[in-house]
Amino acid sequence: MRIGRIHFVFRMSHYKCAVAGLLILTLSALAFYAQALKPKALFLTYQEAQPVLEALEEVLPPDLKGKSSKDLTAFWPTWISRRDAEIRGRLALGDEDSLVNLLLFGTSYTKQPRITIDEIVAIAQTANSSNESQAASSRALTILRARVDDLIQGLSAPGANERLLFGRQVLIQRTGYQPGTAAGHQRLRDYLLTSVSRVLKEQGSYAKALAAARSMGDPSEEFAERSRMYRNRGLSSDTSLLPNYGLEESLKALLSRGLIQPGSVKRIAVVGPGLDFTDKQEGFDFYPQQTIQPFAIIDSVLRLKLARSDALEVVTFDLSPRVNDHLERAKQRAQRGSSYVVQLPRDPNATWKPGAVQYWSQFGDQIGSATTPAAIPAGVSGLKVRAVSIRPAIVSRITPADLNIVLQHPELPAAERFDLIIATNILLYYDTFEQSLALLNVERMLRPGGFLLSNNALLELPFSRVHAVDYLTVVYSDRPDDGDHIVWYQRASD
Ligand SMILES: C[S@@+](CC[C@H](N)C(=O)[O-])C[C@H]1O[C@@H](n2cnc3c(N)ncnc32)[C@H](O)[C@@H]1O
């Protein structure tokens, strides 16, 4: 995120089961129990969505625009189920983007160096570039082509490498080509190079849109543009540690300003927890896929004494079966007594701010203990890694549920609404209309006085009961644009 001072007013004008005494729980009973805790997902009805449709008449999607209220009432159920399928369909393109990240940055299937951000920029600019950047680009292209061949080789014999198994499934599903054959290899090579070029092109268009927003000289406009920058992109699951540092700093500030009280957080929702696949900055593929945010938020609220570990429930809401299955399996393993290990890589060359290094150093001290980190592969130099083994009792507090936050909210009795909702790096995948629908859903999930923390600027329609109270800018490192504006949205009473 580009950090700039924001004049932050972005308005219209501008679960629970008491189960005692069960000594023996069979696996099927456990599965049933987990299921029983899951809130049911309800689609927004037309009556619920109507105020948003009316207020944003001008910017409605073409299939909703210009229809009378009577026509919309009849069409809404068709629209919402179709749109739900379309949004979920964006996961496939996001999976392909993850595969491109594995291709550029993975180390588990190749001895080629990771491709650096500068080299990616050089490849993208190659057509109209100087001799110097053409040389950088030609080196990067040689590495890229060797990586493509190594990846296809890896995909043809993935063994137990979960990322290669996933990549193989994604590619075969999308192309029908088999990596183990000569013809398949050739076709997959072309396909992967085209995917890289698509991703680079997309990155270029985001950079252009941001430059245009920046040139207006208004940081609020720029933040608003960033906040829906990925509206046409595939849905990525990638995640990293540092946004959680931004969240902890925000909670600290809320606490010191008396906006949130010690011991007041009992129920937390994490919308879009994500899965660390292979990210270009702090994500690597030399350790198992992992989720971080649900654990990070528990660690933070315990550290700040906002919650007690024996009176805390966390529900994660995601539409990705991969993310939900990962969390479900972690929970089931925890119920059998296994802890969950999180690997925390840090590249000292990335010059993290002292506060970020401090956050990294103490991460997990409330929820587990330090353990031996995964071995760093020979080709990755200078990296530091911590690992934390998270106690099964903490992992068991998390309940994953399927939900499309744009169109659905969980069926919750008033007493089970959330004290705190986290949604970082998710709402920027949607346009203003869909973000406004998401905010309607968040409103139904938050208790009066509860907070939504998000690193996106959301439009506040006049009838909304969720309002931005303030925001905190947290800078993560000396790299350009590395930080977040965390906006504190609070729900007013009914
Ligand atoms: C880029 S990841 C961000 C992960 C994490 N929140 C973070 O900040 O690192 C986005 C996550 O949101 C999920 N997601 C995207 N759209 C969603 C939607 N409409 N409803 C629920 N989850 C969604 C994705 O599947 C993914 O897990």
Side-chain angles (χ1 to χ4, degrees), residues 447-464:
R447 70 156 169 81
F451 281 93
L452 160 72
L453 300 184
S454 174
N455 55 352
N456 294 131
L458 305 171
L459 180 67
E460 287 177 37
L461 293 164
F463 48 82
S464 177

Side-chain angles (χ1 to χ4, degrees), residues 236 238-239 272-274 293 318-320 403-405 424-426 430:
S236 152
D238 266 334
T239 187
Q293 196 155 60
D318 207 295
L319 48 61
S320 161
L403 187 98
N404 178 352
I405 193 67
T424 58
N425 301 312
I426 159 170
Y430 300 96

Side-chain angles (χ1 to χ4, degrees), residues 241-270:
L241 179 70
L242 291 178
N244 303 299
Y245 164 53
L247 292 171
E248 181 162 309
E249 289 302 298
S250 293
L251 289 170
K252 249 187 226 169
L254 282 162
L255 189 60
S256 74
R257 286 171 51 175
L259 290 166
I260 193 167
Q261 310 309 317
S264 66
V265 176
K266 298 190 172 61
R267 290 179 49 79
I268 303 177
V270 177

Side-chain angles (χ1 to χ4, degrees), residues 21 36 38 61 81-82 88 102 125-126 150-151 239 288 296 306 315 320 344 378 384 403 420 423 451 457 486 490:
K38 278 191 203 304
S81 67
R82 193 170 72 199
R88 290 170 190 265
L102 183 65
Q125 292 172 343
T126 198
D150 289 352
L151 180 61
T239 187
L306 287 167
V315 185
S320 161
L344 305 164
K384 288 190 182 305
L403 187 98
L420 178 62
F451 281 93
I486 306 280
Q490 190 171 29

Side-chain angles (χ1 to χ4, degrees), residues 36-55:
L37 285 171
K38 278 191 203 304
K40 185 176 161 200
L42 301 175
F43 279 110
L44 282 170
T45 63
Y46 174 65
Q47 284 67 29
E48 288 167 337
Q50 191 175 8
V52 169
L53 286 150
E54 287 176 2

